[in-house]
Amino acid sequence: MSFGIYFRELRKSKQITQKQLASAIEKTPMLISGIETNKNGPFSDEDLKKIADYMKLTEAEYSDLLIRASNERGKLPPHIADYIAGHREAYSLLEVLAQRKMGEISLKKLRAYAEELE
């Protein structure tokens, strides 16, 4: 599912109109419509933060929105890119994962293990 379609469904689930959202983040309803119909790319990360605050998104909803926007842009979210750039071991781990082409189940197990380490 594209970012625009996902975003439209999320916005509607929160019962927020394009006009209300546009006013809250100081954009035009036309821009919101263009993003939702995939005529425009995703919002900037700064706008996504404003949107998350206004729409009272859960942490999971906000994270999903950032990931979907980043995927559509073909770039990592800035906070993840910054972390990887600052931690050589994180980069090395990602390199191993990429070389092994690990599947979803293996990655979920690794994530669960990493969360246990905290």
Side-chain angles (χ1 to χ4, degrees), residues 7-112:
F7 180 75
R8 179 177 53 218
E9 290 178 6
L10 181 62
R11 176 186 57 76
K12 286 183 174 184
S13 76
K14 303 290 184 176
Q15 299 179 344
I16 296 171
T17 67
Q18 288 180 347
K19 187 175 180 180
Q20 290 169 325
L21 181 62
S23 177
I25 65 168
E26 301 176 336
K27 302 293 181 189
T28 66
M30 181 185 279
L31 175 71
I32 308 290
S33 176
I35 289 171
E36 290 183 355
T37 58
N38 300 310
K39 293 179 182 159
N40 297 340
F43 296 98
S44 69
D45 290 328
E46 295 81 22
D47 286 340
L48 288 174
K49 178 64 177 137
K50 291 178 190 176
I51 289 166
D53 292 342
Y54 179 74
M55 291 176 50
K56 296 179 175 51
L57 298 181
T58 66
E59 190 174 313
E61 289 169 332
Y62 178 53
S63 177
D64 197 28
L65 207 56
L66 282 175
I67 290 168
R68 288 172 183 271
S70 294
N71 284 345
E72 198 140 315
R73 291 183 204 121
K75 296 181 179 179
L76 287 172
H79 69 287
I80 294 174
D82 290 345
Y83 182 83
I84 293 168
H87 295 84
R88 185 170 178 77
E89 288 304 314
Y91 179 86
S92 297
L93 175 61
L94 290 173
E95 185 67 33
V96 169
L97 295 175
Q99 287 174 1
R100 294 200 179 184
K101 298 179 182 164
M102 298 186 79
E104 196 69 28
I105 293 171
S106 297
L107 291 172
K108 284 181 180 179
K109 287 178 183 177
L110 284 171
R111 180 181 176 190

